[in-house]
Structures are given as structure tokens and as C-alpha cells.
Amino acid sequence: MSSCLAGFKVRYNGTSAQNDVISWLASHGQAITVCPEIMAGFAIPRPAAEIVGGNAQNVLDGMARVRENNGKDVTASYISGARMVLKIALKNKVQAAFLKENSPSCGVNNVYSGNFDGHLLLGTGVTACILKNAGIQVYSETDQ
């Protein structure tokens, strides 16, 4: 589960996106929490980032990039964090992941457009994509 959904203040702007059910599961040892961006070495807070020039699969295939709003290319770090999460998931035989919607890492149904204009597009983040590719079911906190 995304650490921010469990109440940890790890989002790019130093906030959480606490979901009470996910927080309860984590606090009762029923879930593993991860933040691929923190695992990849990003600071809190950090510049906002978006997938530019394609979708998450394109990022994994080397055809699109993840860039911060200052223009810095952080693609390799996003892929590294996603791979770390996948390794943990496979080691623990995880069958489902609950991830933070709209994130360039964890977005399940939507991510920001890549234009830093607040618009959303249908698509997944890099970590959600890598988990899906491995056969792990991914859900957003907005899925019902």
C-alpha cells in the first residue's frame, strides 16, 4: 500500500493522503507500506513530477520520461523505486496493491498530463504499471 495512504507524510509536498481503512490495516500489521519515490532517494518535500511524452509503459520501454516541474529528468529514479516495490511484492507474495491515485509512481486509473497544468489523463504511474505487468492487481483509494 502507498505509505501516504497509511498516513505517512511522504508525498511530494510533505503531506499524507490518509485513508482510514488503509491506515488501520497498516497499523494492525495487515499491510506492507511502500513509497517508491522515497525508496528511490527523493527528499520530502520535492518538486512535483509528471510523465512526459507518453505513458508509464512508454517510460519502462525508454520512450517517455518522468520530469520534475523544474525540467529535471528523474526517469531512472522512478523506475528504480518501482523495481524496489516489485521486489518487495514478489518476495512477500503480494496479490493486490492499493496505491495513491494521480501519482506518476502510484496512479492506477489517472495520472497528470505531463504539462504541469493540473489536467489528468487516463493511465497508470510507473510503479502501478510494473506491478500490473507482474500480474499483481492494483487498486486506487478511489476504486469501489
Side-chain angles (χ1 to χ4, degrees), residues 32-79:
I32 299 167
T33 60
V34 294
C35 177
E37 294 168 27
I38 298 304
M39 293 167 69
F42 288 101
I44 305 165
R46 58 190 167 275
E50 296 184 7
I51 296 171
V52 177
N55 59 37
Q57 187 61 56
N58 297 142
V59 170
L60 294 171
D61 293 340
M63 299 170 59
R65 313 303 292 165
V66 182
R67 294 197 186 279
E68 293 179 337
N69 59 2
N70 59 16
K72 182 179 178 185
D73 186 328
V74 290
T75 305
S77 295
Y78 271 75
I79 293 171

